[in-house]
Amino acid sequence: MTATRYRFLEKEINRLGTDIYRKTSNGQSCKKAEKLLADYKAEFKAARLKIDRELKELNN
């Protein structure tokens, strides 16, 4: 995974979180956005673990 994809995920997670908050505040349903957010968070977490592992290997 590239750093570009990691930054994209970070921005999308923040954007989707804001969109979901706005929609639910107005009483709208946003199941698709919630599913996409969950997928992005899972991918983001995996990327973060991979980056941490690679940094740890470089430091050893």
Side-chain angles (χ1 to χ4, degrees), residues 8-9 15 19 25 32 35 47-48 55 57 59:
F8 166 78
L9 289 170
R15 184 187 66 77
D19 288 350
S25 294
K32 287 182 183 178
K35 172 73 171 114
R48 186 70 216 167
L55 286 173
E57 287 176 13
N59 288 331

Side-chain angles (χ1 to χ4, degrees), residues 3 9-10 14-15 18 22-23 26-27 32-33 40 44-46 51-53 57-58:
L9 289 170
E10 190 173 38
N14 290 332
R15 184 187 66 77
T18 302
R22 285 182 186 150
K23 286 182 179 181
N26 293 329
K32 287 182 183 178
Y40 280 166
F44 183 81
K45 184 177 180 180
I51 289 169
D52 287 345
R53 215 172 315 136
E57 287 176 13
L58 288 173

Side-chain angles (χ1 to χ4, degrees), residues 11-25 37:
K11 288 178 185 177
E12 283 298 296
I13 287 169
N14 290 332
R15 184 187 66 77
L16 282 170
T18 302
D19 288 350
I20 290 169
Y21 175 78
R22 285 182 186 150
K23 286 182 179 181
T24 54
S25 294
L37 180 62

